[in-house]
Amino acid sequence: MRTTLTRAGCRLAAALLCVSALPAAQALGHQPAAPPRASVREAAPETARAAADPAYRILAFSKTAGFRHSSIDDGLAALRELGSGNNVTVDATEDAQAFTAGNLARYKAVVFLSTTGDVLNAAQQTAFEQYVRAGGGYVGVHAAADTEYDWPFYAGLAGALFHSHPHNQTATLRVEDRAHDATAHLGRTWQRFDEWYNYRSNPRSAAHVLASLDESSYTGGNMSGDHPIAWCKDYQGGRAFYTGGGHTDESFTDPAFRRHLLGGIRWAAGMTEADCRPETGYVPLFDGSGTAGWRQAGPGSFTLGDGTLTSQGGLGMLWYAGREFTGDYSLKLDWRMDGDDNSGVLIGFPASDDPWSAVNNGYEIQIDATDAADRTTGAVYGFKSADTAARDAALNPPGEWNTYEIRVTGERLEVFLNGRKINDFTNTDPARSLAQGYVGLQNHGDGDQVSFRNVRIRTSGGTPPPGPRTGPVKGVNGKCADVAGGASADGTRIQLWTCNTTAAQTWTVPGDGTLRALGKCLDVSAAGTTDGTKIQLWTCNGTGAQQWQPHTDGTLRNPASGKCLDAEGATWNDGTRLHLWTCHTGPNQKWTLP
């Protein structure tokens, strides 16, 4: 049986979708065990997105009641050029009288292009609020955050308002979401010259951050190292996207920034889907930097390139052997099909290099949009179909990225596609348990190429961790983790030392999986995985080398390596260095966090 997917007003009719009619066990196949390390080779960067959008119209609004940016004219020219190449009609105005219910209803999105000050009167504000609540889209560019300070609805829509800025300079952006259409074309970092705003509040708790500034890469940032610069959010029925870039005229001739802007417009206008719910507390299992902790089961492999894993051959599975997950958790990952392809995400299976273990003892959340109902994208393979109407509305076509959230609460399994719930299943099979097991990615077979990015997990029932905590990290013999000499240079070793309450022993647990002292992060040197790898202080960079998970047995584990923070040797005097070591739960691997 084949099921053809459609989504109102979009491109799926023109896109190839994949087919698989094999039962669950046959789909993986009984294959000999593969070598116990991930079989991964380097690959080329991703291809471009697929089909064109249907025609739609946007309004570009650039009224200013304060500072006027010279880049507005360049921005309008860029919007018109993007529109002509992407089936978008762009109407431009600085007349606030355009903000009536009847006129706004003509547009899929309204772009606030470096507006400043109070630009709408009370009646116009009411019309715009009604437009957003009816599902309209908002795109804020740069000084859109320097607009309407006394209008609470707008402050929530924009996500954050302007505080100050340093001089124009080059900075490094960390691209936190490489699935959203505004940022999927970018690498893991993005170097740009622009005017970098500081904001009056941090939008992370209410918006989904797409990119943030590395405050160590430039001068003048004042947001304590967590500095979002582009984000998206669902807001009171509508969609809101904001980018802090766009001060300079040159921004609007930069192909990467133009594509960033187009992606934000496409999402705000409902032409593409994304998970724009706030996201905190996730720890990376695969962040694009390597596959430490992963193993290949069965034949086939995954290529690694541009921070992306792509399946080839099979039938097999790449599984994360660094940790078994017990209790409640939320697993998120980004995936993309390029055509008629097949894959899946496997959860709740025992450790094994035989992929039959995942078939017989776990569950597969399918990626294959045109098979039978219980074997299509979003289905719990062979057990329960997705809500196909919700799935069809949420699904991006081949060539574009999608995001799964796979949420386990006891024996309940919920599946979210691009932020929308599409399946709800409860395990009743005594031979299986969702509450204990490993996770993996399927490589289905020759011709099936499905790509994955940003595999991350949050434990403890999917609830965010508590707020930041600060204090000593205490270990064996009552001594403390200490930054040698109180130095803050990258590469400074971490050691044991008699507790003394100095800054060198004052660690912050911010809730993002890192441990921080002296403004930098506890780091595994060179992202190593071998016993004895140095533990050091290093500029925070969001990689797996700086992620640490406390376990109930007292250990502090680095998921990327699957190993533990360990005090060297057996005497543990002042100056004993800390290193990475195979977990054994001895006294020199037990730590108490603030």
Side-chain angles (χ1 to χ4, degrees):
M1 174 181 176
R2 304 186 75 167
T3 304
T4 303
L5 285 178
T6 60
R7 188 176 73 192
C10 77
R11 293 91 49 215
L12 292 187
L16 287 173
L17 299 176
C18 53
V19 180
S20 172
L22 297 176
Q26 190 179 351
L28 274 171
H30 191 182
Q31 303 290 347
R37 291 187 60 83
S39 178
V40 176
R41 66 175 177 84
E42 290 296 316
E46 68 168 279
T47 56
R49 72 175 180 88
D53 296 331
Y56 62 101
R57 185 181 295 268
I58 65 172
L59 178 66
F61 183 54
S62 53
K63 180 179 178 180
T64 56
F67 180 83
R68 184 170 183 84
H69 284 74
S70 64
S71 61
I72 288 175
D73 290 341
D74 297 274
L76 291 172
L79 288 173
R80 292 188 180 102
E81 290 170 8
L82 288 170
S84 65
N86 292 278
N87 223 11
V88 185
T89 298
V90 179
D91 294 338
T93 188
E94 298 200 354
D95 185 355
Q97 294 184 63
F99 283 72
T100 66
N103 188 53
L104 291 174
R106 302 166 58 213
Y107 301 104
K108 290 289 188 180
V110 178
V111 180
F112 278 57
L113 180 61
S114 282
T115 51
T116 54
D118 294 332
V119 291
L120 301 178
N121 66 27
Q124 294 156 358
Q125 290 176 357
T126 297
F128 188 58
E129 289 182 16
Q130 292 172 343
Y131 165 79
V132 171
R133 290 177 177 133
Y138 162 86
V139 175
V141 179
H142 192 58
D146 188 22
T147 300
E148 295 288 356
Y149 289 93
D150 297 322
W151 181 14
F153 176 88
Y154 184 85
L157 182 72
L161 296 177
F162 169 79
H163 175 271
S164 60
H165 66 80
H167 64 86
N168 297 2
Q169 59 194 296
T170 299
T172 299
L173 283 69
R174 300 189 186 102
V175 181
E176 298 189 21
D177 184 330
R178 299 186 65 212
H180 194 287
D181 197 56
T183 44
H185 64 293
L186 300 170
R188 294 168 61 210
T189 59
W190 186 17
Q191 298 283 128
R192 290 203 70 243
F193 179 87
D194 215 319
E195 179 184 75
W196 302 115
Y197 278 5
N198 299 309
Y199 300 96
R200 298 185 179 192
S201 61
N202 191 318
R204 190 179 293 276
S205 63
H208 179 72
V209 176
L210 303 175
S212 57
L213 286 168
D214 178 355
E215 288 192 336
S216 70
S217 69
Y218 74 106
T219 60
N222 70 357
M223 297 185 68
S224 302
D226 183 15
H227 195 141
I229 198 65
W231 54 82
C232 61
K233 64 191 301 188
D234 297 305
Y235 187 71
Q236 297 194 22
R239 296 182 176 195
F241 167 85
Y242 172 82
T243 178
H247 171 84
T248 65
D249 298 353
E250 293 78 12
S251 293
F252 295 100
T253 57
D254 173 10
F257 184 78
R258 286 164 63 107
R259 184 64 185 85
H260 173 61
L261 181 57
L262 175 63
I265 292 169
R266 291 188 70 235
W267 177 79
M271 297 296 120
T272 187
E273 300 298 320
D275 188 347
C276 282
R277 297 172 296 169
E279 183 175 314
T280 58
Y282 284 82
V283 174
L285 302 183
F286 168 72
D287 65 2
S289 60
T291 54
W294 293 82
R295 296 162 66 107
Q296 181 71 29
S301 61
F302 283 77
T303 61
L304 172 60
D306 190 31
T308 305
L309 289 169
T310 301
S311 65
Q312 63 174 17
L315 309 159
M317 173 183 67
L318 184 68
W319 62 288
Y320 185 71
R323 180 182 172 189
E324 182 177 25
F325 296 101
T326 58
D328 301 344
Y329 63 85
S330 168
L331 175 70
K332 279 192 174 184
L333 52 86
D334 306 327
W335 58 267
R336 185 195 65 196
M337 296 186 297
D338 288 331
D340 188 6
D341 300 300
N342 186 304
S343 185
V345 182
L346 294 137
I347 64 171
F349 57 88
S352 176
D353 285 324
D354 179 354
W356 276 97
S357 65
V359 175
N360 294 328
N361 299 286
Y363 288 103
E364 178 186 354
I365 292 79
Q366 179 73 325
I367 299 173
D368 177 356
T370 58
D371 202 350
D374 65 345
R375 300 172 184 177
T376 61
T377 294
V380 182
Y381 190 97
F383 290 89
K384 186 175 182 180
S385 170
D387 177 339
T388 53
R391 186 272 314 280
D392 293 359
L395 181 65
N396 289 323
E400 296 190 24
W401 287 89
N402 293 275
T403 299
Y404 265 163
E405 180 192 1
I406 299 167
R407 185 185 298 173
V408 171
T409 310
E411 294 296 336
R412 182 185 183 189
L413 167 62
E414 298 169 275
V415 181
F416 296 78
L417 174 64
N418 294 324
R420 185 176 303 196
K421 187 174 178 178
I422 62 169
N423 209 334
D424 195 333
F425 169 77
T426 299
N427 171 52
T428 58
D429 183 350
R432 306 171 194 254
S433 176
L434 288 165
Q436 182 172 0
Y438 290 81
V439 301
L441 310 174
Q442 184 189 80
N443 53 299
H444 185 268
D446 291 336
D448 289 315
Q449 293 187 342
V450 177
S451 297
F452 296 91
R453 283 178 173 171
N454 195 16
V455 184
R456 65 265 196 205
I457 198 161
R458 186 176 70 189
T459 56
S460 302
T463 57
R469 310 185 308 276
T470 299
V473 174
K474 295 185 177 180
V476 64
N477 290 347
K479 294 183 181 290
C480 283
D482 178 278
V483 181
S488 61
D490 283 352
T492 301
R493 79 174 187 276
I494 309 300
Q495 60 187 9
L496 277 184
W497 202 270
T498 300
C499 297
N500 55 29
T501 71
T502 63
Q505 295 183 0
T506 302
W507 295 89
T508 296
V509 184
D512 61 358
T514 63
L515 282 171
R516 305 187 180 208
L518 302 173
K520 296 191 174 182
C521 282
L522 189 72
D523 179 276
V524 179
S525 178
T529 61
T530 59
D531 284 353
T533 299
K534 174 186 175 182
I535 302 299
Q536 61 187 5
L537 198 68
W538 199 268
T539 299
C540 298
N541 54 32
T543 66
Q546 297 181 354
Q547 291 291 315
W548 300 93
Q549 290 181 337
H551 282 235
T552 55
D553 60 9
T555 59
L556 192 59
R557 305 191 182 201
N558 172 245
S561 63
K563 295 189 174 182
C564 282
L565 183 68
D566 179 284
E568 183 181 47
T571 53
W572 311 311
N573 297 318
D574 282 356
T576 297
R577 74 178 192 131
L578 305 190
H579 60 189
L580 199 67
W581 202 266
T582 300
C583 298
H584 54 66
T585 70
N588 58 324
Q589 290 191 350
K590 293 187 182 294
W591 304 92
T592 302
L593 300 184

